[in-house]
Amino acid sequence: MKTRVFDAKRMSAGAIAALMVALTACSGGGNGASGSSPSQSPQQSGQAEQTAQTETGGKQQGGSFNLWLGWTITVNNESLIQKYWRENEPFVDVQIESTQGDASTALNLKLNTGGFEDAAIFGRSDVINTSMVRSGTIVPLEQYFDMPDQYPGLASIPKEYLEAMKDEDGHIWSIPTWFDQNPQDPWPGWASLGWFVREDVLEKAGMTFDDLATLEGLEQYLRAAGQQTDASGNKLIPLSFLSDANDENVILSTFGVSNATAGGVIPVEKKGDQYEFIYDNPQYKEAYRWMNKIYREDLLDKEAITDKKERYKEKNQSGRIAMNAGGFFNMDAHIWEVLNGPTEPAWYYQTIPYPKVPGVDRIGINQIVNPYPANDVYISNKTKNLDAILAFFDYSLQPLPEMQQVIDGGPPGVYWDWVDQPLGKWHYIDDNYQQLHDSGDAAKKASTTPELYATSSYSNKWYPWWNYAQTDSVAGRQKTIDFTEAIGKMGAIRVAESYDMVKSEPGSLWEKYLPELENVRKEYKAKLTMAKDDNAFEVEWNNFTSALEKRAHWSELKEEWHKLLAQQFGE
C-alpha cells in the first residue's frame, strides 16, 4: 500500500494549518452482520438493508449511526447539538462511543472481536490504516467522492488529498476530515514560536523596538535589562526560555537553522539538489556559541536548561524576565489573557521580528504544518446505516469557511450568530448554552456539544476563535491572537514537503538509533550552552560530533535516510 501522506510533487503552493483534534464519545446505533469481504462495495454487502430517508411527522428522518472515536472524552449523546442534527439538517442521529485507554490497544481488541458497529474516526496513522484494511472489516469508499449530485460535500474534498490516499488498486478506505479547504490559500494556524520583550523594560532602558532588529541591538537590550529590578528588588533575568520544551529552537531559527519536521525522523532542508541535515548546518554550532556567550555573561537565565514548565511560568507571571525566546504558550498565555490593562508585568509583553544575524539571509523553519487531512473515518462492512453515515459526513464536509463552527455549535441563528455580518465577529445568542458550554465543567459542556468540529474542515477565510466577539471584553485576550498572527508572517513556518515526513521502518537503523541520537542532542545542548570558556566550548563541540558518529551512527543514519526517502516518496 502507498504511504498515506501527501505527495509534495502534487503541490504547487504550501499550506499551514494547526492539526487540532478534540472529539467526543458514547454508544448507540444498531447494525447487523453481512460477512462481506473488504473488496466488496457496500451495495454488495447489503445496501438494500440501509435506512432510507423517509418523511415522518413532517420531519425528514435520515437514520442513525454509531461513531466510535479513537480517543477519550466526556460524552452526552443527548447534547443540544446532537438533538439539532436529529431534528434538523442533516436529520441524522449521531451516537458517539468513546475509546477508553490506549487507542491502538482498543482498536486491536475491537477488530479481533468482530469490528466496530458503523463508523470509526481516528487520527491519521499508517499503523491504524493498515490494521483497518488488513482486518477485512471495512469497505472501500472511492465511489462516493465522485458523486457530486448526491454527495456534493464529499465531492468537494480537494483531489490531491484523495489521490494521495489511494492504494495500489485505487481504493480509498476512509473519508478524510479536518483538512484545509484550499491548500493554495492556507490558514496560518496558531503560530507561537518567537521573541518576546517586555515593553516597559525596553522603555526604561531608553530603547525602542527598532533597536532590537539586530542581534547586536538585542544584546545591548539584555545588558541594560539586567540592571533593572522587579517589584521585589531582585535583578531581572535578561533572557530566558524553556529548554525542557525545546524553546531554544527559536534561537536556532534566528541563526538560519531549520529544526522542525512533519512527523519525520530528523529536521532537513533542501538546498538545491542536496539535503542538509540539522547537525550538519554550520550555523547550528554558531547558534550554540552565541547561547554560550550570553550564558557566560549572565544574560541568559542560569536555570533555562533545567527549569520545568511550572517554575518557568512563575518567573514570567511575577515579572522576573525581561525577554523570552520560544513558544508563548510555554510562557503561559493565561497570564495576559485575564488582564484588561497595565496591572501586571505580563501586560507589557510584545512580540518582535527575529533579529538579524550577520551572514544569515533567511531564518530557519521551526514550524511545519500539513494541510492534508488529520483524521480518517472508516465504515464497517456490516453496517446497516450507510446512508446515515454518508449523509452526516456529506453535511460536515461542506466547503464553507464557517463549517467547523457550524459542526461545533450549530448553524448561525440557533445558539450563536454573527454580530453584524457573515464571516465577521460572532457571539453566543443563547445564555443557557453559553453558561453550560463555558462552565469549565466537562459534563456540562458535553450537554451542549459533542465537539465534533474535526469531522469538518477549515479555511483561511475565517477562523472562529480569532473572531469571537467576547474577546473584545477582555483586552488581554486579543494579545494572543495578535501574537500568533504576527508570528505567522515572520518566515519561520512553511508547508510540509516529503522530506519532512520520512519515517523509520521496522528493523531500520533509524528505529534502532533514533533514541540515542535524541539522547546525544539533549546531553550536548546543555554542555554546549554552559561551557565555561571558548576552549571548553570547542572541546564539547568535538565531543558532540564524535558522539553523533560513535553513539548514534550519524553517517549511517543519513545514508539510510536517503534510501527511505526514495522508498516512501519515490525521490
Side-chain angles (χ1 to χ4, degrees):
M1 180 174 295
K2 296 178 182 177
T3 301
R4 303 178 69 256
V5 292
F6 82 90
D7 183 348
K9 292 180 179 178
R10 294 191 176 103
M11 295 286 288
S12 61
I16 300 170
L19 300 183
M20 299 179 291
V21 178
L23 301 174
T24 71
C26 205
S27 62
N31 62 7
S34 72
S36 64
S37 71
S39 61
Q40 288 180 304
S41 72
Q43 288 92 336
Q44 293 171 313
S45 59
Q47 189 173 8
E49 300 180 49
Q50 307 295 325
T51 303
Q53 289 189 352
T54 59
E55 292 291 332
T56 304
K59 291 186 178 181
Q60 189 180 40
Q61 298 296 311
S64 67
F65 72 95
N66 175 278
L67 181 61
W68 178 42
L69 306 182
W71 42 81
T72 302
I73 198 168
T74 303
V75 174
N76 180 343
N77 275 318
E78 291 300 315
S79 74
L80 294 172
I81 296 302
Q82 285 163 282
K83 288 181 180 179
Y84 182 89
W85 291 338
R86 286 200 298 267
E87 299 169 3
N88 302 276
E89 194 176 16
F91 304 101
V92 174
D93 181 11
V94 184
Q95 293 289 296
I96 312 297
E97 178 184 353
S98 175
T99 293
Q100 301 300 318
D102 178 70
S104 296
T105 301
L107 174 63
N108 288 331
L109 179 62
K110 183 85 76 170
L111 294 180
N112 288 331
T113 55
F116 52 93
E117 296 178 36
D118 294 316
I121 182 169
F122 278 78
R124 175 155 289 191
S125 163
D126 286 339
V127 173
I128 296 294
N129 189 69
T130 299
S131 296
M132 287 287 193
V133 176
R134 286 180 177 174
S135 73
T137 63
I138 62 172
V139 293
L141 302 170
E142 60 273 4
Q143 62 182 308
Y144 301 109
F145 304 117
D146 195 27
M147 300 170 66
D149 291 341
Q150 189 169 353
Y151 301 115
L154 299 181
S156 72
I157 299 171
K159 299 306 180 186
E160 55 259 58
Y161 300 167
L162 297 173
E163 284 297 316
M165 294 172 63
K166 289 182 178 179
D167 67 11
E168 294 176 354
D169 297 321
H171 291 311
I172 298 175
W173 295 95
S174 62
I175 298 172
T177 71
W178 201 238
F179 50 79
D180 199 304
Q181 293 172 11
N182 184 358
Q184 309 306 324
D185 182 25
W187 177 60
W190 284 96
S192 66
L193 298 172
W195 290 89
F196 303 88
V197 65
R198 286 261 303 279
E199 189 173 11
D200 57 332
V201 177
L202 182 68
E203 184 178 345
K204 290 178 182 177
M207 300 178 66
T208 67
F209 288 106
D210 290 341
D211 295 325
L212 304 177
T214 65
L215 195 65
E216 181 182 6
L218 187 144
E219 290 181 21
Q220 180 183 344
Y221 166 73
L222 296 180
R223 295 186 183 98
Q227 301 306 309
Q228 297 185 37
T229 58
D230 64 12
S232 300
N234 300 311
K235 281 194 172 183
L236 295 183
I237 299 168
L239 174 66
S240 191
F241 54 77
L242 185 62
S243 185
D244 193 51
N246 297 318
D247 272 350
E248 66 272 10
N249 283 347
V250 165
I251 297 175
L252 291 174
S253 292
T254 304
F255 277 76
V257 180
S258 293
N259 48 75
T261 75
V265 290
I266 193 73
V268 179
E269 273 297 334
K270 191 172 185 180
K271 296 187 175 180
D273 295 330
Q274 303 299 313
Y275 295 97
E276 182 177 67
F277 297 83
I278 181 172
Y279 307 128
D280 295 341
N281 186 333
Q283 288 299 110
Y284 186 88
K285 179 180 182 180
E286 295 308 310
Y288 275 100
R289 190 195 303 277
W290 183 77
M291 282 186 261
N292 176 244
K293 170 190 171 184
I294 63 170
Y295 180 88
R296 285 153 45 195
E297 292 181 19
D298 292 327
L299 301 179
L300 177 61
D301 188 351
K302 296 297 185 183
E303 299 174 321
I305 299 297
T306 58
D307 260 348
K308 299 301 180 183
K309 183 170 288 188
E310 289 308 311
R311 171 64 175 153
Y312 180 61
K313 288 181 177 180
E314 288 173 7
K315 290 179 180 179
N316 288 304
Q317 186 168 20
S318 63
R320 294 279 292 120
I321 300 171
M323 174 174 273
N324 301 71
F328 64 70
F329 288 117
N330 295 333
M331 294 163 61
D332 189 7
H334 181 74
I335 64 177
W336 57 74
E337 287 179 344
V338 298
L339 303 178
N340 241 329
T343 55
E344 299 289 341
W347 176 264
Y348 297 98
Y349 272 120
Q350 297 292 341
T351 189
I352 62 171
Y354 284 64
K356 296 184 182 301
V357 175
V360 175
D361 297 327
R362 181 173 63 86
I363 64 175
I365 301 300
N366 56 41
Q367 183 177 331
I368 299 173
V369 193
N370 194 334
Y372 275 60
N375 298 321
D376 287 293
V377 178
Y378 300 91
I379 299 179
S380 171
N381 60 14
K382 64 182 181 181
T383 183
K384 294 183 178 180
N385 300 310
L386 178 63
D387 287 347
I389 298 169
L390 295 176
F392 176 76
F393 286 100
D394 185 64
Y395 172 74
S396 73
L397 292 172
Q398 296 176 81
L400 302 176
E402 70 274 22
M403 204 60 211
Q404 62 170 298
Q405 174 75 352
V406 171
I407 290 297
D408 188 55
V414 180
Y415 299 114
W416 65 276
D417 207 347
W418 308 112
V419 172
D420 49 10
Q421 60 182 342
L423 303 188
K425 294 281 188 178
W426 68 275
H427 62 166
Y428 287 109
I429 57 174
D430 186 302
D431 290 338
N432 179 61
Y433 184 97
Q434 182 177 5
Q435 289 175 16
L436 291 170
H437 185 277
D438 296 346
S439 66
D441 183 304
K444 291 181 179 179
K445 185 175 185 179
S447 73
T448 63
T449 175
E451 292 188 281
L452 287 177
Y453 60 83
T455 62
S456 65
S457 56
Y458 50 86
S459 170
N460 193 28
K461 293 181 179 179
W462 189 77
Y463 178 65
W465 298 105
W466 291 356
N467 292 281
Y468 182 32
Q470 188 171 333
T471 297
D472 298 337
S473 66
V474 181
R477 293 178 182 171
Q478 186 64 37
K479 291 180 75 71
T480 297
I481 297 171
D482 291 343
F483 285 168
T484 196
E485 289 187 306
I487 293 169
K489 300 173 184 177
M490 290 181 183
I493 303 172
R494 65 163 171 77
V495 66
E497 299 287 354
S498 56
Y499 54 83
D500 299 312
M501 298 181 287
V502 174
K503 296 179 173 62
S504 65
E505 301 280 359
S508 68
L509 294 175
W510 278 99
E511 182 182 56
K512 183 177 181 180
Y513 294 119
L514 183 56
E516 187 60 19
L517 181 64
E518 180 65 4
N519 290 338
V520 170
R521 181 191 72 85
K522 289 182 177 179
E523 177 182 338
Y524 281 95
K525 77 173 182 178
K527 290 181 176 180
L528 291 168
T529 301
M530 298 187 291
K532 65 179 182 180
D533 54 35
D534 291 342
N535 289 334
F537 179 86
E538 290 298 329
V539 169
E540 295 299 350
W541 177 259
N542 291 332
N543 290 340
F544 170 59
T545 56
S546 176
L548 285 175
E549 289 294 342
K550 293 179 179 179
R551 291 166 51 185
H553 299 256
W554 182 230
S555 294
E556 296 173 56
L557 288 178
K558 290 188 290 184
E559 182 179 352
E560 186 182 69
W561 182 90
H562 285 280
K563 295 177 182 178
L564 293 173
L565 176 66
Q567 291 173 12
Q568 295 173 10
F569 297 97
E571 295 184 17

